[in-house]
Amino acid sequence: MAAAVVVKNLRKSYGSSIAVRDVSFEVQAGEIFGLLGPNGAGKTTTIRCLCTLTKPDGGELEVAGVSVLKDPRSARSKLGYIAQEVALDKVLTGRELLNLQAAIYHLPKAIANQRIEFLTSILGLTEYINKKTGGYSGGLQRRLDLAAGLLHQPEVLILDEPTVGLDIESRVVVWDFLRQLKSTGTTILLTSHYLEEVDALADRVGIIDAGKVIATGTPSELKDRLGGERITLRIREFTTSAEADSTKDLLMQLPFVQEAIINANQGNSLNLVVHASDDALSQVQAALKSAGLPVFGIAQSRPSLDDVYLAATGKTLMDAEMATAGSRNLKAEKKQSMKN
Amino acid sequence: MTSTSPKTIADWRPRADRLPQTSAFSDFMQETLGLTTRLFIQLKRRPSTLVAGIVQPLMWLLLFGALFQNIPKDLFGTDYGHFLGAGVIVFTAFVGALNAGLPVMFDREFGFLNRLLVAPLASRYSIVAASAIYIIALTLLQVVAIVGLSALLGAGLPGFSGAAIILLVVLLLVVGVTSLSLGLTFALPGHIELIAVIFVANLPLLFASTALAPLSFMPPWLQMIACLNPLSYAIEPIRYLYINPQWQWSSIILHAPWADVSFGAALLVLTGFALVSLVIIQPLLRRRLA
Ligand SMILES: Nc1ncnc2c1ncn2[C@@H]1O[C@H](COP(=O)(O)OP(=O)(O)OP(=O)(O)O)[C@@H](O)[C@H]1O
Ligand SMILES: [Mg+2]
């Protein structure tokens, strides 16, 4: 299948701060591709460049076979863009917003009306469509924004954190809708910093960190590539670090244990990386028993996307979020981004 | 989906629809109409803008006009209130157009403008056109009120051709100033800076024009500036046709330090101003990606 989106060696800096260092990935026609990364990884910057809102410093961009940099207008007609922050005109009703949207995409009136009816009903907006958007809840705003982005039936729908800030229920509505949309042949590129979201939705994932794509593949490929399995172990609800240390030493002697990490944030629980085998769990339990140690909780799991991220960057997504949360000046960035 | 409307998601066919081919011109008209409609809906739902917009110039006319009530008549060639009318019309149009960028700036800051920028607009001049149409319509309502009040105050009514000239002048001035304002909106970092520029541009352009006093009252340096100020070229034709119902294209209406300016020449200057403004903002509109 042909690539519906091509991003090749994309670079973008704001002054001295590098937002996108070197991002490359392709989205195949008809798939859902998730760009996963912590706050500040460069997701929005990448998306803005693809959608012709930001001029990159270098690289190649293609949407539905059209070069974004050479023929931006034609690229615009092929893509639908749903921004990270919903921006509606609160004085307009939902329908008036969609009418405006139809006008700027040059849809004939009759076709626009049909599509508005359809999107409104399928997104559960019928009851609200003639009301001013100023009164919409966050979930309704998102859904109207989706309808607006889809009105011109784009070949590629690009969504920047489509469910950030939504309650679980609205999130599931959006997920379902995106899956249905995929079944019609629409290519979907979305960014997220929710592991579950990408795991649940995406056919393929690109993990982005500090302006670089560090891994791409299907979620299970990425996990398999990492190999091994994970055993999470708690001997007591709160284990002392001395006891955790000695337990770690004990378990490291088992031949199939590759690595053991003490997680101080979780009451000194132990995370073991083990060679995949049927009886790893029971052997760990046996070893603990013969050393006279109790077991408060033990579980075995396949690696998660977070483990993929951890292996690639040496930190978990959560840690990465925490680290950047304090260091960004969002207001200044917003100002800056309008200039570019 | 061809002519039947989609019922289930299975009927949603990206690009299966062959939309009728449209020309760039009809696309431009459609997007301009859509954007203009939004501005009028906003106006309808926030009528205070309209009320304030109409009351304000009338206050100008009444209060400022009364300020020089007792000045000898021959000084202004007419009653000061009548003299002022043209200045108030033009200044009202000017202020409206100068502020045209503000809502667009708020759209930009809020992210709404991105909707327009990711759409395949035939031209971003449709954003300029929509703002200009809106301001022209608003200004015309204001002008009707001003002309009406002036008539009540005894200035008489302009004839049919006079009204047409007022319309033309307002149109040219609003197009020129609106495009400059939108150019600034794309160029400046945010609304604070835009408001600062509007604030600073406002009164000096008023004082350094013939809105409040004739050229002959001014020292030579100010005459010079006033004759470089496009506002003077909008004010003088309107003032002239009010005072001289028998105006002609060749009537001299302004004695600039370097030449006498005729009625027709003033309108040409205004046309040039509008065209130059439209052209110089082009790179600013393209700023992100054309
Ligand atoms: N307009 C800007 N001016 C200056 N720096 C910026 C600007 N936009 C982004 N950055 C910086 O570039 C980096 C990437 O930002 P970007 O918004 O693309 O990240 P993101 O992955 O979308 O993050 P989030 O999950 O918070 O939306 C960040 O370090 C950010 O501080
Ligand atoms: Mg982002």
Side-chain angles (χ1 to χ4, degrees):
Chain A
M1 266 215 241
V5 176
V6 179
V7 176
K8 206 164 153 193
N9 304 120
L10 181 68
R11 289 186 290 114
K12 175 72 191 178
S13 302
Y14 294 101
S16 62
S17 94
I18 302 174
V20 172
R21 198 173 297 272
D22 179 11
V23 164
S24 302
F25 62 91
E26 291 190 359
V27 182
Q28 303 306 312
E31 74 175 352
I32 301 186
F33 187 93
L35 203 54
L36 174 71
N39 286 133
K43 303 183 295 294
T44 297
T45 308
T46 303
I47 298 295
R48 286 180 60 93
C49 290
L50 258 179
C51 295
T52 75
L53 289 172
T54 296
K55 197 169 184 159
D57 298 338
E60 285 166 43
L61 300 164
E62 246 179 54
V63 170
V66 177
S67 162
V68 170
L69 297 172
K70 292 203 193 87
D71 191 358
R73 189 174 306 157
S74 161
R76 286 184 195 123
S77 68
K78 300 193 179 283
L79 67 87
Y81 167 63
I82 315 285
Q84 184 166 350
E85 282 170 37
V86 186
L88 304 172
D89 182 337
K90 57 181 182 223
V91 176
L92 300 187
T93 65
R95 185 182 301 280
E96 285 160 350
L97 180 92
L98 294 179
N99 284 338
L100 170 62
Q101 199 80 23
I104 60 180
Y105 284 89
H106 316 123
L107 299 182
K109 193 80 200 144
I111 291 186
N113 284 340
Q114 287 174 358
R115 291 189 189 172
I116 290 172
E117 287 327 310
F118 172 68
L119 288 168
T120 307
S121 86
I122 201 162
L123 284 161
L125 287 166
T126 311
E127 203 182 317
Y128 309 96
I129 196 67
N130 293 321
K131 302 206 165 97
K132 288 186 210 159
T133 64
Y136 283 19
S137 69
L140 282 177
Q141 292 183 11
R142 279 273 160 191
R143 283 186 259 159
L144 181 64
D145 204 21
L146 264 176
L150 280 169
L151 202 57
H152 62 293
Q153 289 195 328
E155 289 175 47
V156 178
L157 183 66
I158 301 180
L159 309 99
D160 197 359
E161 312 231 7
T163 64
V164 73
L166 289 192
D167 55 89
I168 299 292
E169 213 172 313
S170 305
R171 187 178 290 180
V172 171
V173 171
V174 172
W175 287 0
D176 277 346
F177 180 74
L178 292 179
R179 285 198 197 96
Q180 290 183 46
L181 195 62
K182 176 195 140 133
S183 74
T184 68
T186 308
T187 306
I188 298 172
L189 165 61
L190 57 88
T191 75
S192 184
H193 60 250
Y194 296 129
L195 293 159
E196 326 82 77
E197 177 156 271
V198 171
D199 225 348
L201 272 183
D203 299 307
R204 290 195 314 125
V205 184
I207 297 184
I208 180 170
D209 181 63
K212 277 183 131 155
V213 175
I214 51 181
T216 28
T218 68
S220 53
E221 260 171 28
L222 289 177
K223 295 172 199 167
D224 290 348
R225 203 179 299 160
L226 207 54
E229 305 229 331
R230 302 292 180 276
I231 291 177
T232 326
L233 165 70
R234 272 183 161 188
I235 41 181
R236 300 173 206 282
E237 189 168 8
F238 296 101
T239 315
T240 63
S241 56
E243 194 172 27
D245 277 336
S246 62
T247 314
K248 177 179 166 182
D249 292 342
L250 171 79
L251 295 176
M252 282 299 284
Q253 287 165 11
L254 295 174
F256 56 87
V257 174
Q258 295 169 295
E259 214 181 312
I261 302 161
I262 297 172
N263 192 338
N265 293 328
Q266 307 266 347
N268 286 325
S269 69
L270 276 166
N271 295 329
L272 308 180
V273 179
V274 299
H275 290 298
S277 75
D278 293 337
D279 57 353
L281 196 60
S282 51
Q283 288 198 41
V284 169
Q285 280 168 321
L288 291 172
K289 197 167 182 186
S290 60
L293 288 166
V295 175
F296 178 73
I298 187 164
Q300 184 170 13
S301 59
R302 295 188 58 213
S304 68
L305 281 178
D306 204 16
D307 295 316
V308 175
Y309 184 79
L310 176 67
T313 64
K315 55 191 193 256
T316 65
L317 258 181
M318 183 76 84
D319 295 339
E321 303 259 279
M322 294 299 188
T324 48
S327 66
R328 290 180 73 181
N329 181 346
L330 291 174
K331 216 164 178 185
E333 271 173 30
K334 192 157 184 197
K335 262 206 153 153
Q336 177 76 28
S337 71
M338 293 195 312
K339 289 197 234 161
N340 293 279
Chain B
M1 176 182 129
T2 43
S3 61
T4 53
S5 53
K7 297 270 176 334
T8 73
I9 193 79
D11 301 326
W12 189 259
R13 289 263 162 271
R15 100 204 118 135
D17 240 22
R18 246 173 271 127
L19 293 180
Q21 200 60 46
T22 48
S23 69
F25 178 73
S26 75
D27 287 352
F28 182 81
M29 296 305 281
Q30 191 183 3
E31 65 206 32
T32 303
L33 184 65
L35 293 168
T36 312
T37 305
R38 172 180 174 225
L39 294 173
F40 280 104
I41 293 173
Q42 287 176 335
L43 183 67
K44 194 177 90 190
R45 306 222 166 117
R46 295 180 185 140
S48 54
T49 319
L50 183 60
V51 175
I54 289 183
V55 170
Q56 202 197 20
L58 298 186
M59 300 297 270
W60 263 89
L61 198 58
L62 278 175
L63 297 177
F64 212 82
L67 204 56
F68 298 102
Q69 177 93 60
N70 297 328
I71 221 160
K73 270 211 175 191
D74 50 348
L75 220 47
F76 288 96
T78 176
D79 190 71
Y80 186 67
H82 303 166
F83 176 88
L84 190 62
V88 174
I89 288 175
V90 168
F91 192 59
T92 302
F94 170 68
V95 171
L98 193 60
N99 282 299
L102 262 182
V104 180
M105 180 60 98
F106 287 122
D107 273 354
R108 200 183 122 193
E109 292 182 343
F110 186 57
F112 194 90
L113 189 66
N114 284 342
R115 255 180 221 294
L116 314 184
L117 299 184
V118 297
L121 295 181
S123 163
R124 288 187 182 162
Y125 276 108
S126 53
I127 302 173
V128 180
S131 298
I133 292 170
Y134 170 75
I135 299 292
I136 287 168
L138 207 58
T139 306
L140 288 182
L141 288 178
Q142 293 168 315
V143 167
V144 167
I146 298 166
V147 168
L149 183 66
S150 297
L152 284 179
L153 296 176
L157 280 169
F160 180 75
S161 61
I165 293 293
I166 295 177
L167 179 67
L168 178 67
V169 166
V170 165
L171 198 126
L172 291 171
L173 185 70
V174 169
V175 167
V177 177
T178 299
S179 54
L180 290 182
S181 178
L182 289 184
L184 285 172
T185 299
F186 275 77
L188 294 174
H191 74 272
I192 307 270
E193 290 78 2
L194 183 61
I195 289 174
V197 171
I198 291 173
F199 195 72
V200 166
N202 227 326
L203 290 183
L205 276 164
L206 173 68
F207 293 140
S209 78
T210 57
L212 305 177
L215 218 48
S216 57
F217 283 25
M218 304 177 192
W221 62 269
L222 189 56
Q223 287 190 14
M224 199 72 124
I225 298 174
C227 290
L228 290 170
N229 184 346
L231 292 187
S232 301
Y233 294 83
I235 295 162
E236 290 304 317
I238 296 179
R239 181 170 290 153
Y240 191 87
L241 66 85
Y242 249 107
I243 300 173
N244 309 281
Q246 301 307 317
W247 62 273
Q248 307 216 302
W249 294 109
S250 58
S251 313
I252 299 303
I253 59 170
L254 186 69
H255 300 283
W258 50 84
D260 284 349
V261 179
S262 70
F263 201 103
L267 293 185
L268 277 181
V269 168
L270 270 185
T271 309
F273 166 69
L275 290 178
V276 168
S277 302
L278 283 171
V279 170
I280 61 173
I281 65 161
Q282 192 184 19
L284 296 173
L285 293 182
R286 281 175 178 264
R287 229 178 117 134
R288 291 156 204 240
L289 277 175

